Short mmCIF file of all heavy atoms in Angstrom, two decimals:
data_model
loop_
_atom_site.label_atom_id
_atom_site.label_comp_id
_atom_site.label_asym_id
_atom_site.label_seq_id
_atom_site.Cartn_x
_atom_site.Cartn_y
_atom_site.Cartn_z
N ALA Z 217 -45.29 -65.81 -50.62
CA ALA Z 217 -45.19 -64.34 -50.54
C ALA Z 217 -45.04 -63.87 -49.10
O ALA Z 217 -44.20 -63.00 -48.81
CB ALA Z 217 -46.42 -63.70 -51.19
N ILE Z 218 -45.83 -64.44 -48.18
CA ILE Z 218 -45.79 -63.95 -46.81
C ILE Z 218 -44.47 -64.36 -46.13
O ILE Z 218 -43.92 -63.58 -45.34
CB ILE Z 218 -47.00 -64.47 -46.00
CG1 ILE Z 218 -47.08 -63.76 -44.66
CG2 ILE Z 218 -46.96 -65.97 -45.82
CD1 ILE Z 218 -47.27 -62.27 -44.75
N GLY Z 219 -43.93 -65.52 -46.46
CA GLY Z 219 -42.67 -65.93 -45.87
C GLY Z 219 -41.52 -65.04 -46.31
O GLY Z 219 -40.69 -64.62 -45.50
N CYS Z 220 -41.48 -64.72 -47.61
CA CYS Z 220 -40.44 -63.82 -48.11
C CYS Z 220 -40.62 -62.41 -47.56
O CYS Z 220 -39.64 -61.73 -47.26
CB CYS Z 220 -40.46 -63.80 -49.64
SG CYS Z 220 -39.94 -65.36 -50.40
N THR Z 221 -41.87 -62.00 -47.40
CA THR Z 221 -42.14 -60.68 -46.81
C THR Z 221 -41.64 -60.62 -45.38
O THR Z 221 -41.08 -59.60 -44.95
CB THR Z 221 -43.65 -60.38 -46.84
OG1 THR Z 221 -44.11 -60.38 -48.20
CG2 THR Z 221 -43.95 -59.03 -46.21
N LEU Z 222 -41.80 -61.70 -44.64
CA LEU Z 222 -41.32 -61.75 -43.26
C LEU Z 222 -39.81 -61.57 -43.20
O LEU Z 222 -39.29 -60.81 -42.37
CB LEU Z 222 -41.68 -63.11 -42.63
CG LEU Z 222 -43.10 -63.26 -42.11
CD1 LEU Z 222 -43.37 -64.73 -41.77
CD2 LEU Z 222 -43.31 -62.40 -40.89
N ILE Z 223 -39.09 -62.24 -44.10
CA ILE Z 223 -37.63 -62.15 -44.09
C ILE Z 223 -37.18 -60.73 -44.42
O ILE Z 223 -36.30 -60.17 -43.75
CB ILE Z 223 -37.04 -63.16 -45.10
CG1 ILE Z 223 -37.36 -64.59 -44.65
CG2 ILE Z 223 -35.53 -62.97 -45.23
CD1 ILE Z 223 -37.07 -65.65 -45.70
N VAL Z 224 -37.78 -60.12 -45.43
CA VAL Z 224 -37.42 -58.75 -45.80
C VAL Z 224 -37.82 -57.78 -44.69
O VAL Z 224 -37.10 -56.81 -44.40
CB VAL Z 224 -38.07 -58.35 -47.13
CG1 VAL Z 224 -37.69 -56.93 -47.51
CG2 VAL Z 224 -37.65 -59.32 -48.24
N SER Z 225 -38.95 -58.02 -44.05
CA SER Z 225 -39.38 -57.16 -42.94
C SER Z 225 -38.39 -57.18 -41.79
O SER Z 225 -38.13 -56.15 -41.15
CB SER Z 225 -40.77 -57.59 -42.44
OG SER Z 225 -41.74 -57.45 -43.44
N LEU Z 226 -37.82 -58.34 -41.52
CA LEU Z 226 -36.81 -58.45 -40.46
C LEU Z 226 -35.58 -57.61 -40.80
O LEU Z 226 -34.96 -57.01 -39.92
CB LEU Z 226 -36.42 -59.91 -40.25
CG LEU Z 226 -37.44 -60.77 -39.49
CD1 LEU Z 226 -37.07 -62.24 -39.57
CD2 LEU Z 226 -37.54 -60.33 -38.03
N VAL Z 227 -35.21 -57.59 -42.08
CA VAL Z 227 -34.10 -56.73 -42.51
C VAL Z 227 -34.41 -55.28 -42.19
O VAL Z 227 -33.55 -54.53 -41.66
CB VAL Z 227 -33.83 -56.90 -44.02
CG1 VAL Z 227 -32.82 -55.86 -44.51
CG2 VAL Z 227 -33.35 -58.31 -44.32
N PHE Z 228 -35.65 -54.86 -42.45
CA PHE Z 228 -36.01 -53.46 -42.23
C PHE Z 228 -36.28 -53.15 -40.76
O PHE Z 228 -36.27 -51.97 -40.38
CB PHE Z 228 -37.18 -53.07 -43.12
CG PHE Z 228 -36.73 -52.75 -44.52
CD1 PHE Z 228 -36.73 -53.72 -45.50
CD2 PHE Z 228 -36.25 -51.49 -44.83
CE1 PHE Z 228 -36.27 -53.44 -46.77
CE2 PHE Z 228 -35.79 -51.20 -46.09
CZ PHE Z 228 -35.80 -52.17 -47.07
N VAL Z 229 -36.49 -54.16 -39.93
CA VAL Z 229 -36.50 -53.92 -38.49
C VAL Z 229 -35.13 -53.40 -38.07
O VAL Z 229 -35.01 -52.43 -37.30
CB VAL Z 229 -36.84 -55.22 -37.72
CG1 VAL Z 229 -36.53 -55.06 -36.24
CG2 VAL Z 229 -38.32 -55.58 -37.89
N VAL Z 230 -34.08 -54.01 -38.61
CA VAL Z 230 -32.71 -53.58 -38.30
C VAL Z 230 -32.40 -52.23 -38.92
O VAL Z 230 -31.90 -51.30 -38.26
CB VAL Z 230 -31.70 -54.64 -38.79
CG1 VAL Z 230 -30.27 -54.16 -38.55
CG2 VAL Z 230 -31.94 -55.97 -38.11
N LEU Z 231 -32.71 -52.08 -40.21
CA LEU Z 231 -32.35 -50.86 -40.93
C LEU Z 231 -33.08 -49.63 -40.40
O LEU Z 231 -32.48 -48.55 -40.29
CB LEU Z 231 -32.64 -51.04 -42.43
CG LEU Z 231 -31.80 -52.09 -43.17
CD1 LEU Z 231 -32.19 -52.15 -44.63
CD2 LEU Z 231 -30.31 -51.80 -43.04
N THR Z 232 -34.36 -49.76 -40.09
CA THR Z 232 -35.11 -48.61 -39.58
C THR Z 232 -34.63 -48.21 -38.20
O THR Z 232 -34.55 -47.00 -37.88
CB THR Z 232 -36.62 -48.92 -39.53
OG1 THR Z 232 -36.84 -50.14 -38.82
CG2 THR Z 232 -37.21 -49.03 -40.92
#
Side-chain angles (χ1 to χ4, degrees):
I218 190 61
C220 292
T221 300
L222 279 169
I223 295 168
V224 180
S225 297
L226 284 169
V227 172
F228 279 93
V229 167
V230 176
L231 294 180
T232 52

